[in-house]
Amino acid sequence: QPDRRLEMQRMRLADSEPRAVAYIWGACATRYATGAPADAALDAAVPGSPLHGHPLRVVVVIELLTELINSRLFSVLRDMLGLVYESCVRFADLELLPANSLVVTISAAPSKVDAAHEAALGVLRDLKSGRQPPCAYDVNKARRAVLANYDNHVKDNAWWLSRLQHVQARELPGKDMRCVTDYVQAVEAVTVQDLMAVCSTLGVGEGEAMSVIMVSDPAADIAKRRHKRSDE
């Protein structure tokens, strides 16, 4: 069980300008079924999925989910509420470990960062609980974005190397050459149910997510500079 004291931490940092950033961390299903508690739930959630048993099953869903969450964060936090300068989600690339996670980063004014943090948690929890589930429009919009990114990625050797990494590793029997050859077909096969299944594994509920809010303190920065000059 996570340490409840880590659910919310606040830091004040000396800085020349007033600014703030918030981070939300949560666990989720692993990319290649390496043994996280959330992995077993996926098989039961969508037993008849076209991606059932495919090594890219979670990988491509996470890529679509990244697009979906980023779109919702922008729509809610910036367009609707006007709380943030920018926000984004990133899923970790921990292929060999029996764990995976996501991190949401929020950049906002100090006076708005707490409200932005709560709103971002609300977006994540609404997805996890099904209160605001993804629909076919969401899936198709995210799919178009992922395939557009793919058209650019295939020109980059680093992308190909990342796809081939660990293909022959004994520690990762779930990853094989289909991760390269079937990528487009796998992206096109993702369904709303696949997306909902991975959403249900997000560790963003009460007692699961951990947050850090960091706010700059120009007054502390001025005091720090004065103290440094006095030492000199």
Side-chain angles (χ1 to χ4, degrees):
Q1 294 294 325
D3 188 337
R4 296 298 295 270
R5 294 172 297 179
L6 300 179
E7 285 185 30
M8 170 60 77
Q9 295 195 70
R10 293 179 177 274
M11 302 175 64
R12 296 193 71 84
L13 306 174
D15 198 354
S16 59
E17 299 292 335
R19 47 190 146 209
V21 63
Y23 298 98
I24 302 170
W25 178 95
C28 65
T30 64
R31 292 175 182 266
Y32 296 101
T34 46
D39 293 343
L42 291 178
D43 286 329
V46 196
S49 167
L51 291 172
H52 184 73
H54 197 285
L56 285 174
R57 175 189 58 170
V58 178
V59 175
V60 292
V61 173
I62 282 178
E63 293 187 7
L64 267 69
L65 189 55
T66 299
E67 297 291 338
L68 169 59
I69 294 176
N70 279 333
S71 176
R72 290 202 177 182
L73 288 173
F74 186 90
S75 175
V76 174
L77 274 63
R78 183 161 178 164
D79 284 353
M80 292 176 57
L81 302 177
L83 293 174
V84 302
Y85 302 131
E86 59 182 352
S87 59
C88 67
V89 64
R90 183 181 184 277
F91 287 82
D93 295 322
L94 306 175
E95 292 190 353
L96 296 176
L97 298 181
N100 199 19
S101 62
L102 74 153
V103 175
V104 172
T105 303
I106 302 161
S107 176
S111 60
K112 296 181 178 181
V113 69
D114 289 290
H117 169 262
E118 288 301 315
L121 269 179
V123 169
L124 296 173
R125 289 171 177 172
D126 284 348
L127 272 172
K128 175 184 172 70
S129 66
R131 287 191 294 268
Q132 294 288 334
C135 62
Y137 173 81
D138 294 323
V139 175
N140 290 329
K141 180 181 177 182
R143 192 190 336 269
R144 288 193 298 270
V146 169
L147 290 175
N149 290 336
Y150 169 78
D151 289 338
N152 293 321
H153 291 329
V154 293
K155 304 168 188 175
D156 184 1
N157 287 337
W159 185 87
W160 288 103
L161 289 173
S162 70
R163 292 295 162 183
L164 291 169
Q165 186 180 32
H166 301 137
V167 164
Q168 295 179 308
R170 296 177 183 175
E171 299 83 359
L172 199 62
K175 186 173 184 179
D176 57 39
M177 284 302 297
R178 288 178 292 170
C179 294
V180 177
T181 60
D182 294 358
Y183 180 81
V184 173
Q185 295 92 320
V187 171
E188 292 175 341
V190 174
T191 65
V192 171
Q193 289 71 29
D194 292 318
L195 215 58
M196 291 178 65
V198 174
C199 284
S200 70
T201 74
L202 302 180
V204 295
E206 293 286 344
E208 296 177 324
M210 291 187 283
S211 300
V212 177
I213 295 178
M214 295 185 289
V215 180
S216 69
D217 188 348
D221 183 61
I222 294 172
K224 183 178 179 181
R225 292 183 183 184
R226 287 175 178 171
H227 180 72
K228 183 178 180 180
R229 284 198 296 268
S230 65
D231 288 344
E232 294 172 351

